Amino acid sequence: MSTFDAHLLIVDDDERIRSLLQKFLMRNGFLVTAARDAEHARRILTGLDFDMIVLDVMMPGEDGLSLCRALRETHATPILLLTAKGDTENRIEGLEAGADDYLPKPFEPKELLLRINAILRRVPELDEAEATPKILTLGPIRYDMERGEMWQGSDLVRLTATEMQLMKLFSAQPGEAISRAQLVEDLGRDRGQAQERAVDVQITRLRRKIETDPKQPRYLQTVRGAGYMLAPD
C-alpha cells in the first residue's frame, strides 16, 4: 500500500500532540483525520473506513486499550498504540488487546513514520492477476492465500494486519517450522526476547480464530525447539 493512498485516524486527548501528529503525517503524504477521545473516534468510525488507527492509551473516559478491544470485535484495521508506559507487561497488554504494534512516549516523529509504514507494508495487496485461488483448509476454516482472507463457512474471519502477515508467512511454508526469531525478523521488528514474547501473543490470538481448542492446537502447532508450524488438512 502506498503512503499516498493511506488514510489514518489519530486518537489523542492532547490537542497539541494531536495537531502536531496530524501536520507531520500530512506533510509525509498521509490523509489524516483526528479524534479527541474514544467517543469521538467511535462517531468518526461509523461513517469512515481507515487504513490505520494511531491510538493513545492514556485518555480520560474510555482509555485506548478498551477502545482497541472493542474495535477488534468489528474492525480488522491495523492499530498502533501510543503509550507512556514503556515496560514489557504494558506492551504485552496492548498486543493482547488487539494492537498490531506499540510506540512508547516520548518518541521521535520519524520513528512513528517508520512504524506506520512497516505496518502498512504488512497488509497484503490483492493480486488481480491470479485468477485461480489457492485455498488452505484448516478444519472448518478456509484460508485464501492469494487474497489473504480467512473464512469460516460464509463468514469472513477478521484478521489484523499482523495476523494477515503471519498467515502469509506460515502458508508459504506449510508443514515447516518457523522460529520465533525468524518471525520477529520477517515481521520487521527489532530482535530481542520481548519481541519474541510479543510474537507468542500474536500466535495465541491467531489460534483463537483458527483452532476449535486453542489450548490444544491442531493446525497452528508449536514445534519444540524449532518454533511454530502451520499444518493444514
Side-chain angles (χ1 to χ4, degrees):
M1 179 183 296
S2 166
T3 291
F4 295 95
D5 298 327
H7 189 181
L8 309 182
L9 175 62
I10 307 294
V11 189
D12 197 308
D13 65 297
D14 188 316
E15 183 178 358
R16 185 182 66 86
I17 292 177
R18 195 168 64 241
S19 177
L20 286 172
L21 288 181
Q22 187 168 21
K23 290 176 182 176
F24 172 74
L25 292 169
M26 288 176 71
R27 283 201 307 270
N28 282 276
F30 293 99
L31 178 62
V32 182
T33 298
R36 61 185 171 270
D37 55 26
E39 183 181 0
H40 189 198
R42 285 177 182 274
R43 290 202 301 272
I44 291 172
L45 286 162
T46 60
L48 288 173
D49 289 325
F50 293 89
D51 297 295
M52 183 183 299
I53 300 170
V54 179
L55 176 58
D56 186 33
V57 169
M58 303 296 288
M59 295 188 294
E62 183 180 11
D63 66 23
L65 288 177
S66 174
L67 179 59
C68 184
R69 290 189 191 97
L71 290 176
R72 275 294 164 255
E73 298 295 323
T74 55
H75 293 71
T77 310
I79 297 174
L80 173 64
L81 288 180
L82 303 179
T83 173
K85 299 177 178 178
D87 64 89
T88 300
E89 285 307 311
N90 280 298
R91 296 178 187 183
I92 295 300
E93 187 179 8
L95 293 173
E96 288 177 334
D100 293 273
D101 205 351
Y102 49 80
L103 185 58
K105 291 180 176 180
F107 55 82
E108 291 291 331
K110 186 175 180 180
E111 183 177 3
L112 173 65
L113 188 63
L114 290 171
R115 297 281 185 121
I116 288 172
N117 284 325
I119 292 173
L120 289 175
R121 282 196 301 272
R122 293 178 212 160
V123 181
E125 295 186 13
L126 301 186
D127 186 355
E128 300 295 337
E130 294 287 341
T132 306
K134 297 178 182 177
I135 305 294
L136 290 180
T137 303
L138 310 164
I141 299 292
R142 290 175 296 112
Y143 177 68
D144 185 327
M145 294 174 63
E146 297 299 337
R147 293 182 173 272
E149 292 178 348
M150 187 179 289
W151 295 82
Q152 183 165 12
S154 59
D155 296 327
L156 180 66
V157 178
R158 293 183 180 275
L159 298 175
T160 66
T162 303
E163 290 165 352
M164 287 180 181
Q165 181 68 357
L166 284 172
M167 283 302 301
K168 182 178 177 182
L169 294 170
F170 284 124
S171 63
Q173 304 179 60
E176 296 182 28
I178 306 176
S179 69
R180 295 157 85 207
Q182 185 63 51
L183 289 171
V184 168
E185 186 172 333
D186 289 342
L187 289 172
R189 307 286 178 85
D190 297 327
R191 292 175 181 165
Q193 287 188 340
Q195 292 292 0
E196 291 191 10
R197 167 69 179 128
V199 166
D200 293 339
V201 173
Q202 303 285 2
I203 293 291
T204 298
R205 282 173 36 197
L206 186 53
R207 278 175 171 161
R208 292 188 193 124
K209 299 180 179 181
I210 295 175
E211 306 285 354
T212 304
D213 181 359
K215 294 183 179 179
Q216 306 250 340
R218 157 70 180 83
Y219 298 105
L220 186 47
Q221 300 178 4
T222 301
V223 181
R224 189 181 297 275
Y228 296 104
M229 177 182 74
L230 190 69
D233 291 328

